[in-house]
Amino acid sequence: MLRGLIRQLRRADILFGTAWRASPLLAAECVLAAVGSSVLLVAYPLGFRDIVDGAVGHHTARIVTGLIIVAVAFPGGWVLQLIGSVLNAKMTDLGNLRLGLRIGTLTCAAPFLEHFERPDYLTEIDALRERRRGLAGAPAQTLGMVRSAIQFVGVAVLLALVWPPLIVVPLLAVAPAVADRKAARIEKRSDDDLADPRRLLDDLFSLASTAAPARELRTFGVTEGLLARHKRLGDEVNRRALRAAHVAALTEAAGWVLYAAGFGAAIVALVLRAAHGAASPGSVVEVVSLLRRAQRQVTGASTSAGSFATAATTADRLLWLEDYVAEVKPGTAGPAPEELKDGIRFEHVGFTYPGQETPVLSDVCLTLRAGSTVAIVGENGAGKSTLIKLLTGMYRPTSGRITVDGQDLAAIAPEQWRAATTGAFQDFVRFAMSLGDGVGAGDLPRIDEREVVLGAIRRAGAGDMVQDGADGRAGARDMVQDGADGRAGAGDMVQEGADGRAGLGLDTLLGPYVGGRALSEGQWQRLALARGLMLDRPLLIVLDEPTASLDAPSEAALFASYREAAGSRDAGTITVLVSHRFGTVHMADQIIVVDGGQVTESGDHESLIRCGGTYAELFALQAAGYR
């Protein structure tokens, strides 16, 4: 019971506390505007009654009183309502910004990748991201319900003063309110069921409408087939969504039919009473106006309630994310060692991705010696990338353990281990920022140290991209496009001439943006490699097929420079390369062959060739292709 109460308080904090902390004064203004507009909008039908009854009875004072009430309450209520709408929109914007930061912080705080790779978790995060603004609007929706409640109660009291049985009509508003809630649940269930198809639909649309895949799609002539598949899936999604919408609409209509029947009966009964002298004409006008007001408030309250129910569901998703992050974040964890003396060991490591049953790795036993260069080879799907994820701490083993100089990797704080790890990956990030910041992101404390950034660019095998100008600043020729021989050529990526004018310099914005510079794939890849070399004394360097856009000689030269850089450090740095190019792999101190989730061979090039196993067979096959 206590746990449930705490959860309700946490949910209330998400729904209301976010906006209050963003701007307490703005939140108070919104409340005052809502209450003031509600009171005034309930009051003006009283003015109508006084005007009509005063005119019928020739009472000038009553007519004047009615006119004053209408003149103050009617425009005053609408003005306050408009002001409240503007203030609510501003409050929603502030809450939306805070929630975005909160969600972003949580997704980044989770030390592992499960929430990005597990479909059911990804569905929750996608829904949370897409409905973030609705969650931010929870205070505005609540004020809408409060405003409707104030007017609803006021209407009920005034109706009871005219004729007590009329109070039944506002009570009938429960029917459409309940129907709207049920309709909202139907639509939510439909949205949850269609989450995966809609994500696939978005992916197909992005595939067909973005620049990166355009050349390949047109080369293979699959654009029409892709669009046809998008249309079929879109039709299916729309058909299922429309069916749910029809059911929801019929449910809502049933509630409103019941309310409309009561509304009509009340008007007929009141007109009959007026015809027999039991009610004044002004009372009839007042009641009609109040009942119309009650109808609008029921509509507004139902809409606000439906939106609030969706916001509450989204708040539950945010609570789930907070609980998930708290669960997976390690408790007390120690620092990473300052240097490696022994190395990294895999002790009977097995791994199965969360939510799946088939193991990806099983009984992996390895020793990566300190200061060594290691190459991992194997067919696609053998488990190489999973091995890298475990090594970099993106997941923890399902069984067994990984040790760093005898210390369990699970006992090292993930952020500490990643601070000691660097690398470059095949699916590298193209940072939408300046060239210097994109490279300097590899070591944030030194992101503004221009010489360090330039040094990383040179160590990435791109020394010919940069040359020192006569005035001590970095000069450079323009970086050239891929040459006819398929190699990624490089003149300068960084240019600051003696006249001070910047060509493609460290401050140049990169990417397809206004004022930005577009780069070739090979150029982006060189920047990613430079980013991986920013760190001075890493314990682990991971190169997971990072040179796919470079030719074999360029890759070999880069790996040789990584080996040399690792050897020159005194931190016992281990360099791990995943590659399909054996011209590069054979230079490694240790070569690991992964097949079917197991390590089948391990040793240096010469010993593996002598064994005549899988590595020797693959090496001979690739060498024959070159001959």
Side-chain angles (χ1 to χ4, degrees), residues 559-570:
F559 185 58
S561 69
Y562 270 96
R563 287 190 64 192
E564 181 181 353
S568 65
R569 297 183 176 100
D570 57 357

Side-chain angles (χ1 to χ4, degrees), residues 467-542:
Q467 66 181 34
D468 293 331
D471 59 355
R473 291 177 296 181
R477 303 178 298 275
D478 285 334
M479 191 171 187
V480 300
Q481 298 298 320
D482 290 351
D485 61 355
R487 299 188 184 185
D492 307 350
M493 284 182 65
V494 185
Q495 178 181 6
E496 280 186 7
D499 59 358
R501 291 178 300 176
L504 189 58
L506 291 182
D507 297 324
T508 300
L509 176 65
L510 300 181
Y513 308 100
V514 176
R517 295 287 295 272
L519 300 181
S520 70
E521 188 74 8
Q523 292 166 342
W524 278 116
Q525 200 154 48
R526 287 175 181 271
L527 289 182
L529 289 165
R531 185 163 55 247
L533 283 170
M534 278 289 297
L535 210 58
D536 253 353
R537 288 168 49 87
L539 301 182
L540 176 67
I541 300 175
V542 174

Side-chain angles (χ1 to χ4, degrees), residues 42 117 119 122 159 333 372 463 573 620:
V42 169
E117 297 185 343
L122 192 57
L159 288 175
S372 65
T573 303

Side-chain angles (χ1 to χ4, degrees), residues 66 97 343 580 611:
L97 179 60
H580 292 286
C611 287

Side-chain angles (χ1 to χ4, degrees), residues 21 53 171 192 270 389 426 466 497 544 614:
R21 286 188 295 272
D53 286 347
L171 296 179
D192 291 342
L270 191 61
K389 289 177 182 178
Q426 184 175 7
V466 182
D544 189 0
T614 303

Side-chain angles (χ1 to χ4, degrees), residues 444-469:
L444 287 177
R446 301 194 298 169
I447 191 172
D448 293 323
E449 298 182 22
R450 300 173 72 86
E451 288 303 321
V452 174
V453 173
L454 291 171
I457 292 173
R458 297 188 189 99
R459 290 196 304 275
D464 56 343
M465 295 181 182
V466 182
Q467 66 181 34
D468 293 331

